[in-house]
Amino acid sequence: MKTGEENQRRMRGVEGRLCEEFSARYYGICTVGGMLSAGTTHLAITPLDVLKVNMQVNPIKYNGISSGFTTLWKEQGATALWRGWSGKLFGYGVQGGCKFGLYEYFKKLYSDVLVDHNRSFIFFVSSASAQVFADMALCPFEAVKVRVQTQPNFAKGLADGFPKLYKAEGLSGFYKGLLPLWGRNLPFSMIMFSTFEHSVNLIYHNIIQRRKEDCSRAQQLGVTCLAGCASGAVGTIISNPADNIVSSLYNKKAENVLQAVKNIGFVNLFTRSLPLRITLVGPVVTLQWFFYDTIKVLSGLPTSGGLSRRLEEATSSA
């Protein structure tokens, strides 16, 4: 009787889908879901991002969360806390669309091709491949955003910031921080996706002890939130040094990566702005996964986590 109910539930889920998994429309839904989830969540935490960047660039002046907000408010007004909002919304929206959409594509591609490799390797190479393209899309927006947030007289936003930066530094100005951006986001993305995937499997297999397909939508989204929280915390710690370097380069505190490392100090690379980044990134990553999977569920698709059946069979003993 229970098996019959489970089969009926699966059939209803398939009938309600807007598309088949791994079809062009499926990847389109994943891309749109990534854009909406990443863009809106990053927009919401713009004030914290403004403070984080200023703490990285001028740690003496902005030496704490409470005092940093007070200093920004007194010297530049309340509007300063939302400086760079357009870069957050559109830049991270584009990045999120590429990151999530391409991750789904590469995970299917590599799971079919690299059948002799274990799951972690598939997660790492899929997320790295997607992040390379995602950061290339983000980099111009990030270059303008950081300058808008830390240089009050530079520009008001993307509309006047793009032409001003191009006039001053040319095309190379938009991609000056691409290598450090990769240095920050590639490890973060690889750890984030891998931690998420393994957390999902751990929760279903060891805690709930039920297949994902046999759980309700609410239960699946609950698993998504728990796995997203774990992935955000771990990824933040790994990527913090590169995040400090990116801010230093964009604000001309250093001419290259080696000089930035020397100026900041090895220990400070790992500790500077870390509490704020954990406060900032952890909830953002969790909400991104939740919004992303909610869009997939509303489209009749299963939540994230798991591999193609072929790789499941090939890696069952990995």
Side-chain angles (χ1 to χ4, degrees), residues 255-278:
E255 295 297 324
N256 53 59
V257 173
L258 291 178
Q259 185 179 347
V261 172
K262 182 179 180 180
N263 292 345
I264 296 172
F266 183 77
V267 174
N268 289 334
L269 281 175
F270 293 88
T271 60
R272 181 177 294 177
S273 75
L274 181 59
L276 182 57
R277 282 200 74 224
I278 291 177

PDB file of all heavy atoms in Angstrom, residues 255-278:
ATOM      1  N   GLU A 255      49.376  47.041  -6.211  1.00  0.00           N
ATOM      2  CA  GLU A 255      49.444  46.923  -7.664  1.00  0.00           C
ATOM      3  C   GLU A 255      49.307  45.495  -8.151  1.00  0.00           C
ATOM      4  O   GLU A 255      48.964  45.247  -9.293  1.00  0.00           O
ATOM      5  CB  GLU A 255      50.768  47.517  -8.174  1.00  0.00           C
ATOM      6  CG  GLU A 255      50.891  49.017  -7.952  1.00  0.00           C
ATOM      7  CD  GLU A 255      49.822  49.798  -8.711  1.00  0.00           C
ATOM      8  OE1 GLU A 255      49.474  49.371  -9.835  1.00  0.00           O
ATOM      9  OE2 GLU A 255      49.336  50.803  -8.171  1.00  0.00           O
ATOM     10  N   ASN A 256      49.609  44.535  -7.289  1.00  0.00           N
ATOM     11  CA  ASN A 256      49.505  43.134  -7.680  1.00  0.00           C
ATOM     12  C   ASN A 256      49.198  42.284  -6.451  1.00  0.00           C
ATOM     13  O   ASN A 256      49.147  42.787  -5.321  1.00  0.00           O
ATOM     14  CB  ASN A 256      50.798  42.664  -8.360  1.00  0.00           C
ATOM     15  CG  ASN A 256      52.039  42.945  -7.520  1.00  0.00           C
ATOM     16  OD1 ASN A 256      52.162  42.476  -6.384  1.00  0.00           O
ATOM     17  ND2 ASN A 256      52.968  43.738  -8.058  1.00  0.00           N
ATOM     18  N   VAL A 257      48.986  40.997  -6.695  1.00  0.00           N
ATOM     19  CA  VAL A 257      48.574  40.093  -5.621  1.00  0.00           C
ATOM     20  C   VAL A 257      49.648  39.985  -4.528  1.00  0.00           C
ATOM     21  O   VAL A 257      49.341  40.029  -3.330  1.00  0.00           O
ATOM     22  CB  VAL A 257      48.263  38.691  -6.187  1.00  0.00           C
ATOM     23  CG1 VAL A 257      47.993  37.696  -5.059  1.00  0.00           C
ATOM     24  CG2 VAL A 257      47.066  38.751  -7.130  1.00  0.00           C
ATOM     25  N   LEU A 258      50.921  39.859  -4.935  1.00  0.00           N
ATOM     26  CA  LEU A 258      51.990  39.709  -3.948  1.00  0.00           C
ATOM     27  C   LEU A 258      52.095  40.932  -3.044  1.00  0.00           C
ATOM     28  O   LEU A 258      52.297  40.813  -1.829  1.00  0.00           O
ATOM     29  CB  LEU A 258      53.325  39.457  -4.653  1.00  0.00           C
ATOM     30  CG  LEU A 258      53.469  38.106  -5.358  1.00  0.00           C
ATOM     31  CD1 LEU A 258      54.826  38.016  -6.056  1.00  0.00           C
ATOM     32  CD2 LEU A 258      53.302  36.956  -4.357  1.00  0.00           C
ATOM     33  N   GLN A 259      51.955  42.104  -3.643  1.00  0.00           N
ATOM     34  CA  GLN A 259      52.021  43.326  -2.846  1.00  0.00           C
ATOM     35  C   GLN A 259      50.823  43.409  -1.903  1.00  0.00           C
ATOM     36  O   GLN A 259      50.961  43.845  -0.753  1.00  0.00           O
ATOM     37  CB  GLN A 259      52.059  44.555  -3.754  1.00  0.00           C
ATOM     38  CG  GLN A 259      52.243  45.864  -2.986  1.00  0.00           C
ATOM     39  CD  GLN A 259      52.294  47.071  -3.905  1.00  0.00           C
ATOM     40  OE1 GLN A 259      52.422  46.940  -5.111  1.00  0.00           O
ATOM     41  NE2 GLN A 259      52.181  48.242  -3.329  1.00  0.00           N
ATOM     42  N   ALA A 260      49.666  42.994  -2.378  1.00  0.00           N
ATOM     43  CA  ALA A 260      48.471  43.006  -1.535  1.00  0.00           C
ATOM     44  C   ALA A 260      48.644  42.082  -0.329  1.00  0.00           C
ATOM     45  O   ALA A 260      48.301  42.439   0.801  1.00  0.00           O
ATOM     46  CB  ALA A 260      47.252  42.587  -2.347  1.00  0.00           C
ATOM     47  N   VAL A 261      49.198  40.894  -0.557  1.00  0.00           N
ATOM     48  CA  VAL A 261      49.431  39.948   0.528  1.00  0.00           C
ATOM     49  C   VAL A 261      50.403  40.534   1.549  1.00  0.00           C
ATOM     50  O   VAL A 261      50.215  40.423   2.762  1.00  0.00           O
ATOM     51  CB  VAL A 261      49.970  38.613  -0.018  1.00  0.00           C
ATOM     52  CG1 VAL A 261      50.409  37.703   1.120  1.00  0.00           C
ATOM     53  CG2 VAL A 261      48.918  37.923  -0.867  1.00  0.00           C
ATOM     54  N   LYS A 262      51.457  41.184   1.051  1.00  0.00           N
ATOM     55  CA  LYS A 262      52.453  41.787   1.930  1.00  0.00           C
ATOM     56  C   LYS A 262      51.842  42.915   2.755  1.00  0.00           C
ATOM     57  O   LYS A 262      52.116  43.037   3.963  1.00  0.00           O
ATOM     58  CB  LYS A 262      53.627  42.306   1.097  1.00  0.00           C
ATOM     59  CG  LYS A 262      54.745  42.905   1.930  1.00  0.00           C
ATOM     60  CD  LYS A 262      55.892  43.369   1.040  1.00  0.00           C
ATOM     61  CE  LYS A 262      57.016  43.984   1.870  1.00  0.00           C
ATOM     62  NZ  LYS A 262      58.156  44.443   1.020  1.00  0.00           N
ATOM     63  N   ASN A 263      51.036  43.757   2.107  1.00  0.00           N
ATOM     64  CA  ASN A 263      50.433  44.897   2.804  1.00  0.00           C
ATOM     65  C   ASN A 263      49.427  44.447   3.865  1.00  0.00           C
ATOM     66  O   ASN A 263      49.355  45.024   4.960  1.00  0.00           O
ATOM     67  CB  ASN A 263      49.739  45.827   1.806  1.00  0.00           C
ATOM     68  CG  ASN A 263      50.720  46.529   0.887  1.00  0.00           C
ATOM     69  OD1 ASN A 263      51.915  46.558   1.146  1.00  0.00           O
ATOM     70  ND2 ASN A 263      50.224  47.088  -0.204  1.00  0.00           N
ATOM     71  N   ILE A 264      48.630  43.447   3.539  1.00  0.00           N
ATOM     72  CA  ILE A 264      47.581  42.995   4.449  1.00  0.00           C
ATOM     73  C   ILE A 264      48.160  42.172   5.594  1.00  0.00           C
ATOM     74  O   ILE A 264      47.746  42.304   6.749  1.00  0.00           O
ATOM     75  CB  ILE A 264      46.520  42.175   3.685  1.00  0.00           C
ATOM     76  CG1 ILE A 264      45.826  43.071   2.646  1.00  0.00           C
ATOM     77  CG2 ILE A 264      45.480  41.602   4.649  1.00  0.00           C
ATOM     78  CD1 ILE A 264      44.906  42.309   1.709  1.00  0.00           C
ATOM     79  N   GLY A 265      49.135  41.332   5.267  1.00  0.00           N
ATOM     80  CA  GLY A 265      49.698  40.440   6.276  1.00  0.00           C
ATOM     81  C   GLY A 265      49.054  39.065   6.195  1.00  0.00           C
ATOM     82  O   GLY A 265      47.845  38.949   5.957  1.00  0.00           O
ATOM     83  N   PHE A 266      49.860  38.036   6.383  1.00  0.00           N
ATOM     84  CA  PHE A 266      49.380  36.672   6.180  1.00  0.00           C
ATOM     85  C   PHE A 266      48.224  36.318   7.123  1.00  0.00           C
ATOM     86  O   PHE A 266      47.198  35.779   6.705  1.00  0.00           O
ATOM     87  CB  PHE A 266      50.535  35.678   6.375  1.00  0.00           C
ATOM     88  CG  PHE A 266      50.148  34.253   6.119  1.00  0.00           C
ATOM     89  CD1 PHE A 266      50.010  33.782   4.818  1.00  0.00           C
ATOM     90  CD2 PHE A 266      49.914  33.383   7.173  1.00  0.00           C
ATOM     91  CE1 PHE A 266      49.645  32.472   4.578  1.00  0.00           C
ATOM     92  CE2 PHE A 266      49.562  32.065   6.941  1.00  0.00           C
ATOM     93  CZ  PHE A 266      49.417  31.605   5.636  1.00  0.00           C
ATOM     94  N   VAL A 267      48.360  36.644   8.391  1.00  0.00           N
ATOM     95  CA  VAL A 267      47.314  36.310   9.361  1.00  0.00           C
ATOM     96  C   VAL A 267      46.043  37.095   9.063  1.00  0.00           C
ATOM     97  O   VAL A 267      44.926  36.559   9.109  1.00  0.00           O
ATOM     98  CB  VAL A 267      47.789  36.575  10.795  1.00  0.00           C
ATOM     99  CG1 VAL A 267      46.649  36.366  11.795  1.00  0.00           C
ATOM    100  CG2 VAL A 267      48.971  35.670  11.138  1.00  0.00           C
ATOM    101  N   ASN A 268      46.208  38.394   8.734  1.00  0.00           N
ATOM    102  CA  ASN A 268      45.045  39.232   8.443  1.00  0.00           C
ATOM    103  C   ASN A 268      44.286  38.771   7.211  1.00  0.00           C
ATOM    104  O   ASN A 268      43.087  39.050   7.080  1.00  0.00           O
ATOM    105  CB  ASN A 268      45.471  40.689   8.263  1.00  0.00           C
ATOM    106  CG  ASN A 268      45.881  41.333   9.570  1.00  0.00           C
ATOM    107  OD1 ASN A 268      45.425  40.915  10.634  1.00  0.00           O
ATOM    108  ND2 ASN A 268      46.739  42.342   9.504  1.00  0.00           N
ATOM    109  N   LEU A 269      44.966  38.103   6.294  1.00  0.00           N
ATOM    110  CA  LEU A 269      44.270  37.574   5.121  1.00  0.00           C
ATOM    111  C   LEU A 269      43.131  36.652   5.539  1.00  0.00           C
ATOM    112  O   LEU A 269      42.062  36.638   4.915  1.00  0.00           O
ATOM    113  CB  LEU A 269      45.234  36.794   4.223  1.00  0.00           C
ATOM    114  CG  LEU A 269      46.151  37.586   3.290  1.00  0.00           C
ATOM    115  CD1 LEU A 269      47.106  36.628   2.592  1.00  0.00           C
ATOM    116  CD2 LEU A 269      45.349  38.367   2.271  1.00  0.00           C
ATOM    117  N   PHE A 270      43.345  35.899   6.594  1.00  0.00           N
ATOM    118  CA  PHE A 270      42.356  34.919   7.031  1.00  0.00           C
ATOM    119  C   PHE A 270      41.370  35.483   8.046  1.00  0.00           C
ATOM    120  O   PHE A 270      40.242  34.986   8.160  1.00  0.00           O
ATOM    121  CB  PHE A 270      43.055  33.696   7.637  1.00  0.00           C
ATOM    122  CG  PHE A 270      43.843  32.894   6.648  1.00  0.00           C
ATOM    123  CD1 PHE A 270      45.172  33.200   6.376  1.00  0.00           C
ATOM    124  CD2 PHE A 270      43.253  31.851   5.959  1.00  0.00           C
ATOM    125  CE1 PHE A 270      45.906  32.459   5.453  1.00  0.00           C
ATOM    126  CE2 PHE A 270      43.977  31.108   5.031  1.00  0.00           C
ATOM    127  CZ  PHE A 270      45.305  31.414   4.779  1.00  0.00           C
ATOM    128  N   THR A 271      41.784  36.512   8.796  1.00  0.00           N
ATOM    129  CA  THR A 271      40.950  36.996   9.907  1.00  0.00           C
ATOM    130  C   THR A 271      40.217  38.295   9.618  1.00  0.00           C
ATOM    131  O   THR A 271      39.142  38.524  10.177  1.00  0.00           O
ATOM    132  CB  THR A 271      41.811  37.186  11.159  1.00  0.00           C
ATOM    133  OG1 THR A 271      42.853  38.146  10.888  1.00  0.00           O
ATOM    134  CG2 THR A 271      42.454  35.872  11.581  1.00  0.00           C
ATOM    135  N   ARG A 272      40.781  39.161   8.761  1.00  0.00           N
ATOM    136  CA  ARG A 272      40.166  40.464   8.520  1.00  0.00           C
ATOM    137  C   ARG A 272      38.782  40.302   7.894  1.00  0.00           C
ATOM    138  O   ARG A 272      38.621  39.647   6.873  1.00  0.00           O
ATOM    139  CB  ARG A 272      41.056  41.321   7.618  1.00  0.00           C
ATOM    140  CG  ARG A 272      40.483  42.709   7.339  1.00  0.00           C
ATOM    141  CD  ARG A 272      41.444  43.543   6.510  1.00  0.00           C
ATOM    142  NE  ARG A 272      42.672  43.856   7.252  1.00  0.00           N
ATOM    143  CZ  ARG A 272      43.690  44.533   6.727  1.00  0.00           C
ATOM    144  NH1 ARG A 272      43.650  44.936   5.455  1.00  0.00           N
ATOM    145  NH2 ARG A 272      44.760  44.788   7.468  1.00  0.00           N
ATOM    146  N   SER A 273      37.794  40.878   8.520  1.00  0.00           N
ATOM    147  CA  SER A 273      36.393  40.895   8.078  1.00  0.00           C
ATOM    148  C   SER A 273      35.754  39.503   8.069  1.00  0.00           C
ATOM    149  O   SER A 273      34.633  39.345   7.570  1.00  0.00           O
ATOM    150  CB  SER A 273      36.250  41.537   6.690  1.00  0.00           C
ATOM    151  OG  SER A 273      36.699  40.670   5.651  1.00  0.00           O
ATOM    152  N   LEU A 274      36.430  38.488   8.627  1.00  0.00           N
ATOM    153  CA  LEU A 274      35.866  37.132   8.602  1.00  0.00           C
ATOM    154  C   LEU A 274      34.553  37.018   9.371  1.00  0.00           C
ATOM    155  O   LEU A 274      33.592  36.429   8.843  1.00  0.00           O
ATOM    156  CB  LEU A 274      36.886  36.125   9.143  1.00  0.00           C
ATOM    157  CG  LEU A 274      36.415  34.658   9.155  1.00  0.00           C
ATOM    158  CD1 LEU A 274      36.062  34.200   7.750  1.00  0.00           C
ATOM    159  CD2 LEU A 274      37.488  33.750   9.761  1.00  0.00           C
ATOM    160  N   PRO A 275      34.439  37.543  10.609  1.00  0.00           N
ATOM    161  CA  PRO A 275      33.140  37.439  11.308  1.00  0.00           C
ATOM    162  C   PRO A 275      31.995  38.054  10.519  1.00  0.00           C
ATOM    163  O   PRO A 275      30.897  37.505  10.458  1.00  0.00           O
ATOM    164  CB  PRO A 275      33.393  38.192  12.628  1.00  0.00           C
ATOM    165  CG  PRO A 275      34.870  38.110  12.827  1.00  0.00           C
ATOM    166  CD  PRO A 275      35.460  38.185  11.449  1.00  0.00           C
ATOM    167  N   LEU A 276      32.278  39.216   9.897  1.00  0.00           N
ATOM    168  CA  LEU A 276      31.238  39.869   9.112  1.00  0.00           C
ATOM    169  C   LEU A 276      30.899  39.062   7.869  1.00  0.00           C
ATOM    170  O   LEU A 276      29.732  38.944   7.481  1.00  0.00           O
ATOM    171  CB  LEU A 276      31.676  41.283   8.725  1.00  0.00           C
ATOM    172  CG  LEU A 276      30.662  42.115   7.921  1.00  0.00           C
ATOM    173  CD1 LEU A 276      29.352  42.221   8.692  1.00  0.00           C
ATOM    174  CD2 LEU A 276      31.218  43.487   7.609  1.00  0.00           C
ATOM    175  N   ARG A 277      31.920  38.466   7.242  1.00  0.00           N
ATOM    176  CA  ARG A 277      31.659  37.665   6.050  1.00  0.00           C
ATOM    177  C   ARG A 277      30.845  36.418   6.377  1.00  0.00           C
ATOM    178  O   ARG A 277      29.981  36.012   5.594  1.00  0.00           O
ATOM    179  CB  ARG A 277      32.976  37.250   5.381  1.00  0.00           C
ATOM    180  CG  ARG A 277      33.632  38.348   4.567  1.00  0.00           C
ATOM    181  CD  ARG A 277      34.612  37.772   3.564  1.00  0.00           C
ATOM    182  NE  ARG A 277      33.925  37.151   2.449  1.00  0.00           N
ATOM    183  CZ  ARG A 277      34.268  35.972   1.916  1.00  0.00           C
ATOM    184  NH1 ARG A 277      35.253  35.272   2.429  1.00  0.00           N
ATOM    185  NH2 ARG A 277      33.611  35.498   0.885  1.00  0.00           N
ATOM    186  N   ILE A 278      31.117  35.808   7.536  1.00  0.00           N
ATOM    187  CA  ILE A 278      30.327  34.651   7.940  1.00  0.00           C
ATOM    188  C   ILE A 278      28.877  35.072   8.191  1.00  0.00           C
ATOM    189  O   ILE A 278      27.929  34.396   7.780  1.00  0.00           O
ATOM    190  CB  ILE A 278      30.921  33.993   9.203  1.00  0.00           C
ATOM    191  CG1 ILE A 278      32.271  33.337   8.852  1.00  0.00           C
ATOM    192  CG2 ILE A 278      29.967  32.949   9.774  1.00  0.00           C
ATOM    193  CD1 ILE A 278      32.979  32.718  10.040  1.00  0.00           C
TER     194      ILE A 278
END
